[in-house]
Coordinates of all heavy atoms in Angstrom, one line a residue:
I139 N 81.3 63.6 155.7 CA 80.9 64.5 156.8 C 79.6 65.3 156.3 O 79.6 66.0 155.2 CB 82.1 65.5 157.1 CG1 83.2 64.7 157.7 CG2 81.7 66.5 158.1 CD1 84.5 65.5 157.9
E140 N 78.6 65.4 157.1 CA 77.5 66.2 156.8 C 77.6 67.6 157.1 O 78.0 68.0 158.2 CB 76.3 65.5 157.5 CG 75.0 65.9 157.0 CD 73.8 65.1 157.7 OE1 74.1 64.0 158.0 OE2 72.8 65.7 158.0
N141 N 77.1 68.5 156.3 CA 77.2 70.0 156.7 C 75.8 70.3 157.2 O 74.8 70.3 156.8 CB 77.3 70.7 155.2 CG 77.5 72.1 155.5 OD1 77.3 72.7 156.6 ND2 78.1 72.9 154.5
K142 N 76.0 70.7 158.5 CA 74.7 71.1 159.3 C 74.6 72.5 159.5 O 73.9 73.1 160.4 CB 74.9 70.4 160.7 CG 74.7 68.8 160.6 CD 74.5 68.2 161.9 CE 74.5 66.7 161.6 NZ 73.7 66.0 162.4
H143 N 75.1 73.4 158.6 CA 74.9 74.8 158.5 C 73.3 75.1 158.5 O 72.6 74.2 157.7 CB 75.6 75.5 157.3 CG 75.6 76.9 157.4 ND1 74.5 77.5 156.9 CD2 76.4 77.8 158.0 CE1 74.7 79.0 157.0 NE2 75.8 79.1 157.7
W144 N 72.8 76.1 159.2 CA 71.3 76.2 159.1 C 70.7 76.4 157.8 O 69.7 75.9 157.5 CB 71.0 77.4 160.0 CG 71.4 78.6 159.4 CD1 72.4 79.4 159.7 CD2 70.6 79.5 158.5 NE1 72.5 80.6 158.9 CE2 71.2 80.6 158.2 CE3 69.4 79.3 157.9 CZ2 70.7 81.6 157.4 CZ3 68.9 80.3 157.0 CH2 69.7 81.4 156.7
F145 N 71.4 77.0 156.9 CA 70.9 77.2 155.4 C 70.7 75.8 154.8 O 69.7 75.6 154.1 CB 71.9 78.2 154.7 CG 71.3 78.3 153.3 CD1 70.4 79.2 153.0 CD2 71.8 77.5 152.2 CE1 69.9 79.3 151.7 CE2 71.5 77.6 150.9 CZ 70.5 78.6 150.7
N146 N 71.7 74.9 154.9 CA 71.7 73.6 154.3 C 70.5 72.8 154.9 O 69.8 72.0 154.1 CB 72.9 73.0 154.4 CG 74.1 73.6 153.7 OD1 73.7 74.1 152.6 ND2 75.3 73.6 154.1
L147 N 70.3 72.9 156.2 CA 69.2 72.3 156.8 C 67.8 72.7 156.3 O 66.9 71.9 156.0 CB 69.2 72.3 158.3 CG 70.5 71.7 159.0 CD1 70.6 72.0 160.4 CD2 70.4 70.2 158.7
E148 N 67.7 73.9 156.1 CA 66.5 74.6 155.7 C 66.3 74.3 154.2 O 65.2 73.9 153.8 CB 66.4 76.1 155.7 CG 66.3 76.8 157.2 CD 65.0 76.4 157.8 OE1 63.9 76.5 157.0 OE2 65.0 75.9 158.9
Y149 N 67.3 74.2 153.4 CA 67.2 73.8 152.0 C 66.8 72.4 151.9 O 66.0 72.0 151.1 CB 68.6 74.0 151.3 CG 68.6 73.9 149.7 CD1 67.8 74.7 148.9 CD2 69.1 72.7 149.2 CE1 67.7 74.5 147.6 CE2 69.0 72.5 147.8 CZ 68.3 73.4 147.0 OH 68.3 73.1 145.7
Q150 N 67.3 71.5 152.7 CA 67.0 70.2 152.8 C 65.5 69.8 153.1 O 64.8 69.2 152.5 CB 67.9 69.4 153.8 CG 69.3 69.2 153.3 CD 69.4 68.4 151.9 OE1 68.7 67.5 151.7 NE2 70.2 68.9 151.1
K151 N 64.9 70.7 154.0 CA 63.5 70.8 154.4 C 62.8 71.2 153.2 O 61.6 70.6 152.9 CB 63.2 71.7 155.6 CG 62.0 71.6 156.2 CD 61.9 72.2 157.6 CE 61.6 73.6 157.5 NZ 61.5 74.2 158.8
L152 N 63.1 72.1 152.5 CA 62.4 72.5 151.2 C 62.3 71.4 150.2 O 61.2 71.2 149.6 CB 62.9 73.8 150.7 CG 62.8 75.1 151.4 CD1 63.7 76.2 150.7 CD2 61.5 75.6 151.6
I153 N 63.5 70.7 149.9 CA 63.6 69.7 149.1 C 62.6 68.6 149.5 O 61.8 68.0 148.6 CB 64.9 69.2 148.8 CG1 65.8 70.3 148.1 CG2 65.0 68.0 148.0 CD1 67.2 70.0 148.1
K154 N 62.5 68.2 150.7 CA 61.9 67.2 151.1 C 60.4 67.5 151.0 O 59.6 66.6 150.8 CB 62.0 67.0 152.7 CG 61.4 65.9 153.4 CD 61.8 65.7 154.8 CE 60.9 64.7 155.6 NZ 61.3 64.5 156.9
N155 N 60.0 68.8 151.1 CA 58.6 69.1 150.9 C 58.2 69.4 149.4 O 57.1 69.9 149.2 CB 58.2 70.4 151.8 CG 58.3 70.0 153.3 OD1 57.8 69.0 153.6 ND2 58.6 71.0 154.0
G156 N 59.1 69.1 148.5 CA 58.9 69.2 147.1 C 58.9 70.7 146.6 O 58.4 71.0 145.5
I157 N 59.7 71.5 147.3 CA 59.9 72.8 146.8 C 61.3 73.0 146.4 O 62.3 72.6 147.2 CB 59.6 73.9 147.9 CG1 58.1 73.8 148.4 CG2 59.7 75.2 147.5 CD1 57.9 74.4 149.6
N158 N 61.6 73.5 145.3 CA 63.0 73.7 144.8 C 63.2 75.2 144.5 O 62.3 76.0 144.5 CB 63.2 72.8 143.6 CG 62.5 73.1 142.4 OD1 62.0 74.2 142.1 ND2 62.1 72.1 141.5
K159 N 64.5 75.5 144.2 CA 64.8 76.9 143.9 C 64.1 77.5 142.8 O 63.9 78.8 142.7 CB 66.4 77.0 143.8 CG 66.9 76.5 142.6 CD 68.4 76.5 142.5 CE 68.9 75.9 141.2 NZ 70.3 76.0 141.0
N160 N 63.6 76.7 141.8 CA 62.9 77.3 140.7 C 61.4 77.8 141.1 O 60.9 78.5 140.3 CB 62.9 76.3 139.6 CG 64.2 75.9 139.0 OD1 65.0 76.8 138.9 ND2 64.3 74.6 138.5
S161 N 61.0 77.5 142.3 CA 59.8 78.0 142.7 C 59.9 79.4 143.1 O 58.9 80.1 143.3 CB 59.3 77.0 144.0 OG 59.2 75.8 143.6
F162 N 61.0 80.0 143.3 CA 61.2 81.3 143.7 C 61.8 82.2 142.7 O 62.4 83.3 142.9 CB 62.3 81.3 145.0 CG 61.8 80.5 146.0 CD1 62.3 79.2 146.3 CD2 60.8 80.8 146.9 CE1 61.8 78.4 147.3 CE2 60.3 80.1 147.9 CZ 60.9 78.9 148.1
K163 N 61.4 82.0 141.4 CA 61.9 82.8 140.3 C 61.2 84.2 140.5 O 60.2 84.4 140.8 CB 61.4 82.3 139.0 CG 62.2 81.0 138.6 CD 62.1 80.7 137.2 CE 62.9 79.4 136.9 NZ 62.7 78.9 135.6
R164 N 62.1 85.2 140.0 CA 61.6 86.6 140.1 C 60.6 87.0 139.0 O 60.7 86.4 137.9 CB 62.8 87.5 139.9 CG 63.7 87.5 141.1 CD 64.9 88.5 140.7 NE 65.8 88.4 141.8 CZ 66.9 89.0 141.8 NH1 67.2 90.0 141.0 NH2 67.7 89.0 142.9
N165 N 59.8 87.7 139.3 CA 58.8 88.2 138.2 C 59.5 89.2 137.4 O 60.2 90.0 137.7 CB 57.5 89.0 138.8 CG 56.6 88.1 139.6 OD1 56.6 86.9 139.2 ND2 56.0 88.6 140.6
K166 N 59.4 89.1 136.1 CA 60.0 90.0 135.1 C 59.0 90.8 134.3 O 57.8 90.4 134.2 CB 60.7 89.1 134.1 CG 61.9 88.2 134.6 CD 62.7 87.4 133.7 CE 63.7 86.6 134.3 NZ 64.4 85.9 133.4
G167 N 59.6 91.8 133.8 CA 58.8 92.8 133.0 C 57.6 93.5 133.8 O 57.8 93.8 134.9
E168 N 56.4 93.5 133.2 CA 55.3 94.0 133.8 C 54.9 93.3 135.0 O 54.2 93.9 135.9 CB 54.1 94.0 132.9 CG 54.3 94.8 131.6 CD 53.1 94.6 130.5 OE1 52.1 95.1 130.9 OE2 53.4 94.0 129.5
N169 N 55.2 92.0 135.2 CA 54.8 91.3 136.4 C 55.6 91.7 137.5 O 55.2 91.3 138.7 CB 54.9 89.7 136.1 CG 54.0 89.5 135.0 OD1 52.9 89.9 134.9 ND2 54.4 88.3 134.3
N170 N 56.7 92.4 137.4 CA 57.5 92.9 138.5 C 56.8 94.1 139.1 O 56.6 95.1 138.4 CB 58.9 93.3 138.0 CG 59.8 93.5 139.1 OD1 59.4 94.1 140.2 ND2 61.0 93.3 139.0
G171 N 56.6 94.1 140.4 CA 55.7 95.1 141.1 C 56.5 96.4 141.0 O 55.9 97.5 141.1
A172 N 57.8 96.4 140.9 CA 58.7 97.6 140.8 C 58.9 98.2 139.4 O 59.5 99.3 139.3 CB 60.1 97.4 141.4
S173 N 58.3 97.6 138.4 CA 58.5 98.0 137.0 C 57.8 99.3 136.8 O 56.8 99.6 137.2 CB 57.9 97.0 136.0 OG 58.0 97.4 134.8
K174 N 58.6 100.2 136.2 CA 58.1 101.5 135.8 C 57.4 101.5 134.5 O 56.8 102.6 134.1 CB 59.1 102.6 136.0 CG 59.7 102.8 137.4 CD 60.7 103.9 137.5 CE 61.1 104.1 138.9 NZ 62.1 105.3 139.0
L175 N 57.7 100.6 133.7 CA 57.2 100.5 132.3 C 56.5 99.3 132.1 O 56.6 98.4 132.7 CB 58.5 100.5 131.4 CG 59.5 101.7 131.4 CD1 60.7 101.4 130.6 CD2 58.8 102.9 131.1
D176 N 55.7 99.4 130.9 CA 55.0 98.1 130.5 C 55.5 97.8 129.1 O 56.3 98.5 128.5 CB 53.5 98.4 130.4 CG 52.9 99.5 129.6 OD1 53.6 99.8 128.6 OD2 51.8 100.0 129.9
R177 N 55.0 96.8 128.6 CA 55.5 96.2 127.3 C 55.4 97.1 126.1 O 56.2 97.3 125.3 CB 54.8 94.8 127.0 CG 55.1 94.2 125.6 CD 56.6 93.7 125.4 NE 57.0 92.8 126.3 CZ 58.3 92.5 126.4 NH1 59.1 93.1 125.7 NH2 58.6 91.6 127.3
K178 N 54.1 97.8 126.1 CA 53.9 98.8 125.1 C 54.8 100.0 125.0 O 55.3 100.5 124.1 CB 52.4 99.2 125.2 CG 51.9 100.0 124.0 CD 50.4 100.3 124.2 CE 49.9 101.2 123.0 NZ 48.5 101.4 123.1
Q179 N 55.1 100.5 126.3 CA 56.0 101.5 126.4 C 57.4 101.2 125.9 O 58.0 101.9 125.2 CB 56.1 102.1 127.9 CG 54.8 102.8 128.3 CD 54.9 103.1 129.7 OE1 55.2 102.2 130.6 NE2 54.6 104.3 130.0
V180 N 57.8 99.9 126.2 CA 59.1 99.5 125.8 C 59.3 99.4 124.3 O 60.2 99.8 123.7 CB 59.4 98.1 126.5 CG1 60.7 97.4 125.8 CG2 59.6 98.3 128.0
E181 N 58.2 98.8 123.7 CA 58.2 98.9 122.2 C 58.1 100.3 121.6 O 58.8 100.5 120.6 CB 56.9 98.0 121.8 CG 57.0 96.6 122.1 CD 55.7 95.9 121.8 OE1 54.7 96.5 121.3 OE2 55.6 94.7 122.1
T182 N 57.5 101.2 122.2 CA 57.6 102.6 121.8 C 58.9 103.3 121.9 O 59.3 103.8 121.1 CB 56.5 103.4 122.7 OG1 55.2 102.8 122.5 CG2 56.5 104.9 122.2
I183 N 59.6 102.9 123.0 CA 61.0 103.4 123.3 C 61.8 102.9 122.1 O 62.7 103.7 121.6 CB 61.4 102.9 124.6 CG1 60.8 103.8 125.7 CG2 63.0 103.1 124.8 CD1 61.0 103.2 127.1
R184 N 61.8 101.6 121.8 CA 62.7 101.2 120.8 C 62.4 101.7 119.4 O 63.3 102.0 118.7 CB 62.5 99.6 120.6 CG 63.1 98.9 121.9 CD 63.0 97.5 121.8 NE 63.6 96.7 123.0 CZ 63.2 95.7 123.8 NH1 62.1 95.2 123.3 NH2 63.8 95.2 124.7
K185 N 61.1 102.0 119.2 CA 60.9 102.6 117.8 C 61.2 104.1 117.8 O 61.8 104.5 116.7 CB 59.3 102.6 117.7 CG 58.7 101.3 117.3 CD 57.1 101.3 117.1 CE 56.7 99.7 117.0 NZ 55.2 99.8 117.1
L186 N 61.0 104.8 118.9 CA 61.5 106.2 118.9 C 63.0 106.3 118.8 O 63.5 107.2 118.2 CB 61.0 106.9 120.2 CG 59.4 107.1 120.3 CD1 59.0 107.6 121.6 CD2 59.0 108.1 119.2
Y187 N 63.7 105.4 119.4 CA 65.1 105.4 119.4 C 65.6 105.2 117.9 O 66.5 106.0 117.5 CB 65.8 104.4 120.2 CG 67.3 104.4 120.1 CD1 68.1 105.3 120.8 CD2 68.0 103.4 119.4 CE1 69.3 105.4 120.9 CE2 69.3 103.4 119.3 CZ 70.0 104.4 120.1 OH 71.4 104.4 119.9
K188 N 65.0 104.4 117.2 CA 65.3 104.2 115.8 C 65.0 105.3 115.0 O 65.7 105.6 113.9 CB 64.5 103.0 115.3 CG 65.0 101.7 115.7 CD 64.2 100.5 115.0 CE 64.7 99.1 115.6 NZ 64.0 98.1 115.2
T189 N 64.1 106.3 115.5 CA 63.9 107.6 114.6 C 64.9 108.6 114.9 O 64.8 109.8 114.3 CB 62.4 107.9 114.9 OG1 62.3 108.4 116.2 CG2 61.4 106.9 114.6
G190 N 65.8 108.3 116.0 CA 66.8 109.3 116.2 C 66.8 110.0 117.6 O 67.5 110.9 117.9
K191 N 65.7 109.6 118.4 CA 65.6 110.3 119.7 C 66.8 109.8 120.6 O 67.2 108.7 120.5 CB 64.4 109.9 120.4 CG 63.1 110.8 119.9 CD 62.1 110.9 121.1 CE 61.2 112.0 120.7 NZ 60.2 112.2 121.8
T192 N 67.3 110.6 121.4 CA 68.3 110.3 122.3 C 68.0 109.6 123.5 O 66.8 109.6 123.9 CB 69.1 111.5 122.7 OG1 68.4 112.4 123.6 CG2 69.6 112.4 121.6
L193 N 69.0 108.9 124.2 CA 68.7 108.1 125.4 C 68.1 109.1 126.4 O 67.2 108.8 127.1 CB 69.9 107.5 125.9 CG 70.6 106.4 125.1 CD1 71.8 105.8 125.7 CD2 69.6 105.3 124.6
H194 N 68.9 110.3 126.5 CA 68.4 111.2 127.6 C 67.1 111.7 127.4 O 66.2 111.8 128.3 CB 69.4 112.4 127.5 CG 69.1 113.5 128.6 ND1 69.5 113.2 130.0 CD2 68.6 114.6 128.5 CE1 69.1 114.3 130.5 NE2 68.6 115.2 129.8
C195 N 66.7 112.1 126.1 CA 65.3 112.5 125.9 C 64.3 111.4 126.1 O 63.2 111.6 126.7 CB 65.3 113.0 124.3 SG 63.6 113.6 123.9
L196 N 64.5 110.2 125.8 CA 63.6 109.1 126.1 C 63.4 108.8 127.6 O 62.4 108.6 128.0 CB 64.0 107.9 125.3 CG 63.9 107.9 123.8 CD1 64.6 106.8 123.2 CD2 62.5 107.9 123.4
G197 N 64.6 108.9 128.3 CA 64.6 108.7 129.6 C 63.7 109.8 130.4 O 62.9 109.4 131.3
K198 N 63.8 111.1 130.0 CA 63.0 112.0 130.6 C 61.5 111.8 130.2 O 60.6 112.2 131.0 CB 63.5 113.4 130.0 CG 64.7 114.0 130.6 CD 64.3 115.2 131.4 CE 65.7 115.7 131.9 NZ 65.7 116.1 133.2
E199 N 61.3 111.5 128.9 CA 59.9 111.3 128.5 C 59.2 110.2 129.3 O 57.9 110.2 129.6 CB 59.8 111.0 127.0 CG 58.5 110.9 126.4 CD 58.5 110.8 124.9 OE1 59.5 111.1 124.2 OE2 57.5 110.2 124.4
F200 N 59.9 109.0 129.6 CA 59.3 107.9 130.2 C 59.6 107.8 131.7 O 59.1 106.8 132.3 CB 59.7 106.6 129.4 CG 59.0 106.5 128.1 CD1 59.8 107.0 127.0 CD2 57.9 105.9 128.0 CE1 59.2 107.0 125.8 CE2 57.3 105.8 126.7 CZ 58.0 106.3 125.6
G201 N 60.3 108.8 132.2 CA 60.6 108.7 133.7 C 61.6 107.7 134.2 O 61.3 107.2 135.3
V202 N 62.6 107.4 133.3 CA 63.5 106.4 133.8 C 64.9 107.0 133.4 O 65.1 108.0 132.6 CB 63.3 104.9 133.1 CG1 62.0 104.3 133.6 CG2 63.4 105.0 131.6
T203 N 66.0 106.3 133.8 CA 67.3 106.8 133.6 C 67.8 106.5 132.1 O 67.2 105.6 131.4 CB 68.3 106.1 134.5 OG1 68.4 104.7 134.3 CG2 68.0 106.4 136.0
D204 N 68.8 107.2 131.6 CA 69.4 106.9 130.3 C 70.0 105.5 130.3 O 69.9 104.8 129.3 CB 70.5 107.9 130.1 CG 70.3 109.3 130.2 OD1 69.1 109.7 130.5 OD2 71.3 110.1 129.9
W205 N 70.5 105.1 131.4 CA 71.1 103.8 131.5 C 70.0 102.7 131.3 O 70.2 101.7 130.5 CB 71.7 103.5 132.9 CG 72.2 102.2 133.1 CD1 73.4 101.7 132.9 CD2 71.6 101.1 133.9 NE1 73.6 100.3 133.3 CE2 72.5 100.0 133.9 CE3 70.3 101.0 134.4 CZ2 72.1 98.8 134.5 CZ3 70.0 99.7 135.1 CH2 70.8 98.7 135.1
C206 N 68.8 102.8 131.8 CA 67.6 102.0 131.7 C 67.2 101.9 130.2 O 67.0 101.0 129.7 CB 66.5 102.4 132.5 SG 65.0 101.5 132.4
I207 N 67.2 103.1 129.6 CA 66.8 103.2 128.1 C 67.8 102.5 127.3 O 67.5 101.6 126.4 CB 66.7 104.6 127.6 CG1 65.6 105.4 128.4 CG2 66.5 104.7 126.2 CD1 64.2 104.9 128.3
G208 N 69.0 102.5 127.6 CA 70.2 101.9 126.9 C 70.1 100.3 127.0 O 70.1 99.6 126.0
K209 N 69.7 99.9 128.2 CA 69.6 98.5 128.4 C 68.4 97.9 127.6 O 68.4 96.9 127.1 CB 69.3 98.2 129.9 CG 70.4 98.3 130.7 CD 71.4 97.2 130.7 CE 72.5 97.4 131.7 NZ 73.6 96.3 131.5
I210 N 67.3 98.9 127.5 CA 66.1 98.4 126.6 C 66.3 98.2 125.3 O 66.1 97.3 124.6 CB 64.9 99.3 127.1 CG1 64.4 99.2 128.4 CG2 63.8 99.1 125.9 CD1 63.5 100.3 128.9
I211 N 67.1 99.4 124.7 CA 67.3 99.3 123.3 C 68.3 98.2 122.9 O 68.3 97.8 121.7 CB 67.7 100.7 122.8 CG1 69.0 101.2 123.3 CG2 66.6 101.7 122.9 CD1 69.5 102.3 122.7
H212 N 69.1 97.8 123.8 CA 70.2 96.8 123.4 C 69.7 95.4 123.8 O 70.4 94.4 123.8 CB 71.4 97.1 124.0 CG 72.1 98.3 123.5 ND1 72.5 98.4 122.2 CD2 72.4 99.6 124.1 CE1 73.1 99.5 122.0 NE2 72.9 100.3 123.0
F213 N 68.4 95.3 124.2 CA 67.7 94.1 124.6 C 68.4 93.4 125.7 O 68.5 92.0 125.8 CB 67.6 93.1 123.5 CG 66.6 93.6 122.3 CD1 67.0 94.5 121.4 CD2 65.3 93.2 122.3 CE1 66.2 95.0 120.5 CE2 64.4 93.7 121.5 CZ 64.9 94.5 120.4
E214 N 69.0 94.2 126.7 CA 69.6 93.5 127.9 C 68.5 93.4 128.9 O 68.7 92.5 129.8 CB 70.8 94.4 128.3 CG 72.0 94.4 127.2 CD 73.1 95.4 127.8 OE1 73.3 95.5 128.9 OE2 73.7 95.8 126.8
T215 N 67.5 94.2 128.8 CA 66.3 94.0 129.6 C 65.2 94.1 128.8 O 65.3 94.5 127.6 CB 66.2 95.1 130.7 OG1 66.3 96.3 130.0 CG2 67.4 95.0 131.7
W216 N 64.0 93.6 129.3 CA 62.9 93.5 128.4 C 63.1 92.7 127.1 O 62.9 93.3 126.0 CB 62.3 94.9 128.1 CG 61.7 95.5 129.3 CD1 62.2 96.3 130.2 CD2 60.3 95.4 129.7 NE1 61.5 96.7 131.3 CE2 60.2 96.2 130.9 CE3 59.2 94.8 129.3 CZ2 59.0 96.3 131.6 CZ3 58.0 94.9 129.9 CH2 57.9 95.6 131.1
K217 N 63.6 91.6 127.1 CA 64.0 90.9 126.0 C 62.8 90.3 125.1 O 61.8 90.2 125.6 CB 64.9 89.6 126.4 CG 66.1 90.0 127.2 CD 66.9 88.9 127.6 CE 68.1 89.5 128.3 NZ 68.9 88.5 128.9

């Protein structure tokens, strides 16, 4: 039985035209238009954290949340 749901039909059309889901990868890091930081700032954040600065202090300094700083220093983002 063929699945004729509209999404599947559109996906089949993309495949037929040589476009696959990998063509729609998200921009990461500096290439993401919503990024508030660049690679140099991220490296600076990691260095400053090693010297003893707190997540809160770094977040205020760079204009991002403590959560964001935590993700950066633990290499969960900006790998």
Side-chain angles (χ1 to χ4, degrees):
I139 297 175
E140 193 173 326
N141 186 344
K142 294 193 180 207
H143 187 271
W144 71 267
F145 178 80
N146 293 325
L147 295 174
E148 287 296 316
Y149 186 71
Q150 290 300 319
K151 190 163 83 176
L152 290 174
I153 291 172
K154 184 178 178 182
N155 292 326
I157 301 170
N158 61 33
K159 66 180 180 180
N160 294 328
S161 300
F162 301 103
K163 287 188 178 179
R164 294 181 183 180
N165 291 328
K166 295 182 180 180
E168 296 175 66
N169 296 327
N170 183 331
S173 177
K174 293 183 178 180
L175 302 170
D176 61 28
R177 173 67 56 193
K178 189 173 182 178
Q179 289 174 308
V180 168
E181 291 169 2
T182 303
I183 288 168
R184 289 179 177 143
K185 287 177 186 172
L186 291 173
Y187 179 76
K188 287 180 182 179
T189 66
K191 279 208 169 186
T192 65
L193 299 181
H194 183 73
C195 181
L196 289 168
K198 286 244 184 226
E199 185 175 334
F200 288 93
V202 295
T203 63
D204 305 3
W205 178 83
C206 180
I207 298 292
K209 293 281 190 183
I210 289 169
I211 62 170
H212 293 293
F213 293 86
E214 294 175 30
T215 57
W216 288 89
K217 298 175 183 180

